[in-house]
Amino acid sequence: MTDTATAPATHRVPEGLPARIQHYIDGGFVDSQDGDTFDVLDPVTNETYVQAAAGKKADIDLAVAAARRAFTEGPWPRMLPRERSRVLHRIADIVESRDARLAELESYDSGLPITQALGQARRAAENFRFFADLIVAQADDAYKVPGKQLNYVNRKPIGVAGLITPWNTPFMLESWKLGPALATGNTVVLKPAEFTPLSASLWAGIFEEAGLPKGVFNLVNGLGEDAGDALVKHPDVPLISFTGESSTGKLIFGNAAPYLKGLSMELGGKSPAIVFADADLDAAIDATIFGVFSLNGERCTAGSRILVQRDVYDDFVERYAAQASRVKVGYPHDPATEVGALVHPEHYAKVMSYVEIGKTEGRLVAGGGRPEGFETGNFVSPTVFADVAPDARIFQEEIFGPVVAITPFDTEEEALALANNTKYGLAAYLWTSDLRRAHNFAQAIEAGMVWLNSNNVRDLRTPFGGVKASGLGHEGGYRSIDFYTDQQAVHITLGEPHNPTFGKYPG
């Protein structure tokens, strides 16, 4: 147990919470067609604090029809890039101006520490600003054969984009999809995670104030098997961008196949952090502590497997465990909190089941249960297991919580084999002072993204995505533009047409 988990006297509930959460379809808030709702829980108390409209196929049909009308008949796809850019910049301005309120609601709804939620709100604004700039700077390709041929490429929005987002950092991840989808002239139907619908409900007012035309943005709440499934299977939705579990990604892949939809799927991860004996251990410990315990460990790129060279292994484990034990667990609204409450009792039960499994698979050196002073709610002490074998479940399976496995290695070859020894391949982190090793090792790692002597610092121009079970396709920068547009090649003959003659002469 950690002595840094001290419970404040009261749990703070934000003022002005909505009485209910509705869908937003064709410019208006509406209930479900069948009137159905679902409970939304406060992760600190696990009590219902609001009910949200539970969307089904009928609600998705209405939302897609509205988005389709806005695409075929409305002004948005036909606006100049600069005009759409102005709207996106206004969206960014509004989000920035309301960052404290957004963070307060996001923290309350998801259990995320308030200081980290504030950072996510600001990143959401930056996502819109980035794609607002990028769409104006976009240059299409042209290929010339002097005197003979000119070829150029038109980029065109595709239509209705179906966006399905997760419950971890939901507002920011929604912006990561909404920004490029809207910038390129598409219309959208957003299906947010059912655990965390609160912050998503704010988009409608933000977009209205920014001047987004009616019907361009639509939102349907609901369960994945109902609303999400209907969105994936809708014949008028040619694009699906999904972030979530790999198992759900497989279902979406299969359900979208008959419609030959464009898919971008950012899925699970079990990312390694490899620490060589020549690394700066102070920096490596700080980064790997943050990399797995920030965002409550509920992050796809978490470095949840730490591989440490045996020369420094014992020292690393001792120091890491001591620092992990000092990580402050607290109520989400407390600015001093570093790990808050997990999002939902179902997820809490899953994470705690892995903690119990870990006690049979490794040496528990920190955490391992509920922190003192938090007898209710979804609180988990930052938990560290050492001496974890590569076939252990806590080494192989995504836990998605504040739980880390540490494993020793001797040689560079062994480290690489351990790093690649999972079905996932999203991110990796490498700590070494050997420049040649760093670049060669990074290239050999089976991961879509690698950070060298660095924490997870994102450049929005770079591709984001994974390999193996961690994803399909990439977004970020021009990769997002590619995903949300069709590229049409136009060919023009500048000289005499080169036409082979068939059937010109009789006989």
Side-chain angles (χ1 to χ4, degrees):
M1 298 295 174
T2 172
D3 57 4
T4 58
T6 55
T10 59
H11 165 46
R12 183 181 302 168
V13 178
E15 296 181 358
L17 289 176
R20 57 180 175 158
I21 294 176
Q22 297 175 287
H23 310 307
Y24 182 78
I25 298 175
D26 204 18
F29 288 100
V30 295
D31 293 324
S32 294
Q33 292 289 290
D34 62 3
D36 197 10
T37 63
F38 62 91
D39 293 339
V40 185
L41 306 185
D42 172 350
V44 169
T45 65
N46 287 330
E47 296 176 355
T48 300
Y49 77 88
V50 74
Q51 290 191 320
K56 310 281 174 47
K57 183 179 183 299
D59 306 292
I60 289 291
D61 288 346
L62 285 176
V64 173
R68 183 66 186 164
R69 281 194 304 274
F71 185 77
T72 58
E73 303 171 15
W76 187 250
R78 282 157 282 280
M79 284 183 177
L80 293 174
R82 174 65 72 186
E83 294 175 313
R84 290 199 299 268
S85 175
R86 290 192 183 103
V87 176
L88 265 66
H89 272 297
R90 286 198 291 269
I91 292 169
D93 290 341
I94 295 167
V95 171
E96 279 186 343
S97 71
R98 300 177 186 172
D99 59 357
R101 176 62 171 170
L102 289 167
E104 180 184 37
L105 296 182
E106 186 90 310
S107 176
Y108 176 74
D109 196 32
S110 69
L112 192 67
I114 186 67
T115 53
Q116 296 169 42
L118 185 61
Q120 297 303 311
R122 290 168 179 165
R123 278 191 59 188
E126 179 57 27
N127 284 336
F128 275 94
R129 209 172 294 290
F130 174 83
F131 286 107
D133 291 339
L134 190 63
I135 197 64
V136 174
Q138 171 70 46
D140 291 328
D141 295 323
Y143 308 92
K144 302 175 183 178
V145 182
K148 294 186 177 182
Q149 193 173 32
L150 169 66
N151 313 282
Y152 66 89
V153 177
N154 286 326
R155 284 186 180 268
K156 303 191 293 184
I158 296 175
V160 180
L163 312 179
I164 303 175
T165 52
W167 46 256
N168 59 314
T169 62
F171 192 82
M172 190 280 291
L173 288 176
E174 288 153 9
S175 74
W176 175 241
K177 300 179 187 298
L178 287 165
L182 295 174
T184 48
N186 297 282
T187 58
V188 303
V189 176
L190 170 66
K191 206 298 282 185
E194 57 265 31
F195 286 176
T196 54
L198 183 59
S199 60
S201 69
L202 302 175
W203 284 118
I206 292 169
F207 290 151
E208 286 182 5
E209 187 174 335
L212 191 70
K214 175 183 172 182
V216 172
F217 168 76
N218 303 271
L219 181 151
V220 178
N221 294 292
L223 306 183
E225 55 266 34
D226 295 327
D229 186 64
L231 186 59
V232 168
K233 293 177 179 176
H234 200 292
D236 289 335
V237 180
L239 290 174
I240 296 291
S241 178
F242 169 76
T243 299
E245 291 182 324
S246 299
S247 57
T248 306
K250 291 179 182 179
L251 290 174
I252 290 174
F253 190 94
N255 289 335
Y259 306 95
L260 298 176
K261 294 177 186 276
L263 292 177
S264 176
M265 295 196 290
E266 193 265 287
L267 306 177
K270 191 69 177 178
S271 301
I274 304 100
V275 181
F276 283 92
D278 62 354
D280 179 339
L281 284 192
D282 289 334
I285 289 170
D286 277 345
T288 50
I289 288 277
F290 181 83
V292 74
F293 298 131
S294 60
L295 307 182
N296 297 344
E298 298 165 326
R299 57 186 305 167
C300 55
T301 55
S304 54
R305 294 182 297 137
I306 304 178
L307 313 176
V308 183
Q309 197 158 27
R310 199 175 301 273
D311 301 23
V312 294
Y313 180 77
D314 289 340
D315 183 33
F316 183 95
V317 169
E318 182 179 356
R319 292 169 59 185
Y320 190 95
Q323 188 162 330
S325 298
R326 294 191 295 269
V327 170
K328 167 116 175 121
V329 180
Y331 283 142
H333 74 267
D334 185 348
T337 293
E338 294 169 328
V339 171
L342 301 190
V343 68
H344 193 274
E346 289 180 12
H347 185 59
Y348 171 81
K350 173 193 169 184
V351 171
M352 290 304 294
S353 73
Y354 275 106
V355 170
E356 293 307 310
I357 290 168
K359 292 175 182 177
T360 69
E361 294 184 329
R363 174 166 57 96
L364 179 66
V365 293
R370 184 181 283 279
E372 294 178 4
F374 294 89
E375 309 312 321
T376 60
N378 307 319
F379 294 95
V380 178
S381 293
T383 297
V384 182
F385 292 103
D387 309 341
V388 178
D391 60 350
R393 289 185 62 186
I394 61 169
F395 187 97
Q396 291 288 337
E397 299 175 16
E398 185 177 40
I399 299 173
F400 220 65
V403 182
V404 66
I406 307 180
T407 300
F409 69 86
D410 290 298
T411 65
E412 194 170 314
E413 293 75 18
E414 183 185 5
L416 182 62
L418 288 169
N420 292 338
N421 182 28
T422 72
K423 66 180 181 179
Y424 297 105
L426 186 58
Y429 307 86
L430 179 61
W431 291 88
T432 179
S433 60
D434 186 327
L435 186 62
R436 180 184 298 177
R437 169 198 283 154
H439 290 292
N440 289 333
F441 198 97
Q443 188 167 356
I445 293 177
E446 295 169 353
M449 300 168 287
V450 181
W451 280 267
L452 302 179
N453 296 323
S454 169
N455 198 358
N456 185 333
V457 179
R458 287 274 294 121
D459 185 324
L460 294 178
R461 296 169 295 179
T462 60
F464 188 100
V467 299
K468 301 194 291 188
S470 286
L472 175 71
H474 289 79
E475 294 188 42
Y478 286 113
R479 283 81 178 178
S480 292
I481 304 298
D482 287 341
F483 177 70
Y484 289 106
T485 57
D486 280 327
Q487 297 182 58
Q488 177 193 62
V490 179
H491 307 276
I492 306 164
T493 297
L494 300 177
E496 289 296 318
H498 177 66
N499 293 330
T501 302
F502 279 22
K504 186 172 184 179
Y505 301 104

